[in-house]
Amino acid sequence: MPVYYKDFCCIMGACQDNCCDCDWNIWFNKKDYLKLRRLEAPAEFKEKLDKTVRRLSAQEMKKASGNLYAKFQLDEAGQCPLHDSDGKCSLQKLCGEEVLPKVCRQYPRMEKRCTPAAFEYALSPSCEGVLQLLWNLPDGVDFIEEELPKSERGIFQFDMTSHNLRPWFGDIRAMCVDILQNRALSIRHRMLLLGLALQELRDMDWEKPELERWIERFAVLTRGDAAKEALSSLPGNRPMYLLQHTKNAIAMLNGVCGRGLLPNILELNQSTQSDKVNIRCDEERYSAFEASFRAGMGDIEYFFENLMIAVMLYTTFPMLRSKEALWKSYVALCNLYGFYRFAAVMGCGETPTKEKLFHILVNVSRDMLHNEQRQDRLRDEFFSHDSATLAHMAILLGE
């Protein structure tokens, strides 16, 4: 787990984007539903709870995944009716945290996930409290390893004929983290070096992978100047960078993120003679906002480094079940990083503040990281247009 995992606690009313008010479906299982129904509470509160908690219909249960049984009925504004004006949960205040449904107790924690290396714990950067923890680590993210209780120990058995690299997940993940935390390079160059490493890994013979040679090679590259020379041949392209991330914002038009960014960056001109919409990105405005961001926020590259480490942990990056999955996970990571940077600049505008930055990054994470279908669709567009190359990722990463 990352060092900050155990330090997390909900900041409740101090949160700009409280998860109780973000129009998310709050579904829970039968056990949690019955626990709420049997709750000992004042009659007035029980009546409110009866109106708030709704069992799913048989048709809804059939469509829902897992063992979902009931949900909180949100109000017209998409808010949980149990969320008080002080930012706190009336159910928790009255009866304690243990009576909350699991989804409320758990978020933004990732439920214990079993990888070939360990049980992993992570926090989603879609929560302002998590971003504050990342902000408070200027020296970077370190990790904690604890020995498993004997009752949880087991032996992994891999099908070694399936030609995947999952048995080496721990070593490969460690190298990916080392590359992203190499502050001798800019973050853009670190992301590109990561791409070089994963490209070489992808093209390796997976029946007889030379993992030791691969680790040694990129351990050397992260320490010297050779990486800078290799990466300088992958230039960016500002107009294409803006166009791609404007398209990302359009894909999230119905979310807080898309609605907040689009008026700042583009003009949509729809021809009266066709259904085509011409997108014009305002490059001058972006450049002005970028200058304001750098002047107002100072050097916070460490924060974006920590943010991407948090994303890697949350998404169990890199995917090693196949060569295609490996490269897809890298393309998705590049798209997310590039959009984080784009959204940070446009969301902060002329007067950047940490509060504005956190607000936009929380909503990017909710609109993209927590929407796997959208994330996969945006990622797969690169493959369908033959633009999932490392050279195109250099454009996507900006700077």
Side-chain angles (χ1 to χ4, degrees):
M1 68 184 76
V3 290
Y4 56 82
Y5 183 87
K6 292 184 178 181
D7 294 331
F8 173 78
C9 63
C10 178
I11 61 175
M12 298 180 289
C15 185
Q16 303 174 85
D17 299 282
N18 201 297
C19 54
C20 303
D21 295 340
C22 65
D23 200 21
W24 280 350
N25 284 317
I26 309 172
W27 292 354
F28 42 96
N29 59 28
K30 186 175 182 178
K31 180 180 178 181
D32 285 337
Y33 172 79
L34 294 176
K35 182 169 59 178
L36 290 175
R37 285 300 182 196
R38 295 166 181 161
L39 200 62
E40 293 186 7
E44 183 179 355
F45 186 79
K46 289 276 285 184
E47 184 179 345
K48 182 179 182 180
L49 201 58
D50 288 340
K51 295 177 181 178
T52 301
V53 178
R54 179 178 72 82
R55 275 187 58 181
L56 300 179
S57 66
Q59 187 175 10
E60 287 175 315
M61 284 191 218
K62 189 175 181 180
K63 288 182 179 179
S65 59
N67 60 344
L68 302 179
Y69 189 81
K71 65 182 292 187
F72 284 129
Q73 191 69 38
L74 304 182
D75 62 22
E76 293 180 358
Q79 300 177 351
C80 176
L82 299 180
H83 187 213
D84 284 348
S85 58
D86 62 1
K88 299 178 182 179
C89 172
S90 58
L91 176 60
Q92 181 173 345
K93 284 195 292 185
L94 185 65
C95 305
E97 181 182 358
E98 62 277 1
V99 305
L100 295 175
K102 181 179 179 181
V103 64
C104 298
R105 296 194 310 271
Q106 181 174 306
Y107 176 80
R109 303 168 186 86
M110 181 189 73
E111 190 172 10
K112 183 171 68 175
R113 184 177 294 173
C114 183
T115 75
F119 282 123
E120 288 191 358
Y121 296 81
L123 296 171
S124 169
S126 62
C127 167
E128 189 174 342
V130 175
L131 295 184
Q132 184 61 57
L133 291 173
L134 299 176
W135 185 273
N136 292 341
L137 291 171
D139 294 330
V141 176
D142 205 348
F143 300 89
I144 299 170
E145 291 186 4
E146 296 178 349
E147 190 173 348
L148 280 176
K150 289 184 179 180
S151 60
E152 295 186 38
R153 296 178 192 173
I155 298 174
F156 260 109
Q157 292 186 345
F158 292 101
D159 178 8
M160 301 305 289
T161 64
S162 62
H163 301 157
N164 67 64
L165 297 183
R166 293 187 71 239
W168 296 276
F169 177 82
D171 292 332
I172 294 170
R173 155 72 71 74
M175 177 52 65
C176 292
V177 170
D178 286 347
I179 291 173
L180 277 187
Q181 292 186 324
N182 174 22
R183 295 189 178 180
L185 300 172
S186 69
I187 297 186
R188 177 177 183 267
H189 279 163
R190 291 179 233 173
M191 291 288 290
L192 289 173
L193 182 59
L194 178 63
L196 284 174
L198 296 181
Q199 183 174 260
E200 188 169 306
L201 191 65
R202 179 196 65 187
D203 297 339
M204 192 181 293
D205 181 358
W206 283 24
E207 292 187 36
K208 297 178 180 179
E210 298 180 47
L211 269 301
E212 289 186 8
R213 183 193 62 79
W214 178 81
I215 290 171
E216 289 175 5
R217 167 170 155 73
F218 283 94
V220 170
L221 279 175
T222 58
R223 292 194 296 266
D225 293 330
K228 293 181 182 179
E229 296 176 10
L231 299 170
S232 62
S233 63
L234 295 168
N237 183 313
R238 175 58 66 89
M240 287 185 67
Y241 166 79
L242 295 178
L243 181 60
Q244 180 57 56
H245 293 303
T246 298
K247 289 180 179 179
N248 284 341
I250 290 172
M252 291 173 261
L253 188 58
N254 294 325
V256 173
C257 175
R259 292 197 304 270
L261 296 179
L262 290 176
N264 282 341
I265 187 61
L266 59 80
E267 294 178 3
L268 297 179
N269 299 315
Q270 184 161 358
S271 170
T272 56
Q273 299 177 350
S274 70
D275 293 331
K276 291 184 178 180
V277 176
N278 296 318
I279 302 171
R280 188 185 73 82
C281 304
D282 192 336
E283 188 174 344
E284 287 187 11
R285 177 177 287 187
Y286 182 86
S287 296
F289 284 178
E290 185 178 43
S292 296
F293 186 84
R294 288 176 175 169
M297 301 302 297
D299 184 5
I300 57 168
E301 293 299 275
Y302 80 89
F303 172 70
F304 283 100
E305 170 196 308
N306 294 345
L307 176 63
M308 296 317 295
I309 293 293
V311 169
M312 281 178 52
L313 293 173
Y314 190 76
T315 58
T316 323
F317 178 92
M319 295 296 177
L320 299 175
R321 60 180 177 271
S322 69
K323 294 188 175 188
E324 181 185 34
L326 171 63
W327 196 247
K328 280 188 173 183
S329 67
Y330 174 68
V331 171
L333 191 73
C334 288
N335 192 32
L336 186 58
Y337 170 76
F339 192 59
Y340 273 139
R341 299 303 297 247
F342 169 86
V345 168
M346 296 313 303
C348 285
E350 295 177 343
T351 55
T353 64
K354 188 177 77 169
E355 290 70 29
K356 286 184 180 179
L357 176 64
F358 282 12
H359 169 68
I360 197 64
L361 295 182
V362 160
N363 283 287
V364 169
S365 297
R366 292 178 181 180
D367 288 348
M368 187 180 284
L369 186 63
H370 281 258
N371 189 323
E372 291 186 11
Q373 288 184 333
R374 175 181 291 147
Q375 190 177 177
D376 290 350
R377 185 175 70 252
L378 292 171
R379 176 205 66 200
D380 291 344
E381 284 181 6
F382 294 106
F383 290 87
S384 64
H385 298 147
D386 295 324
S387 55
T389 63
L390 191 58
H392 195 86
M393 293 304 102
I395 295 170
L396 194 63
L397 295 169
E399 299 177 41

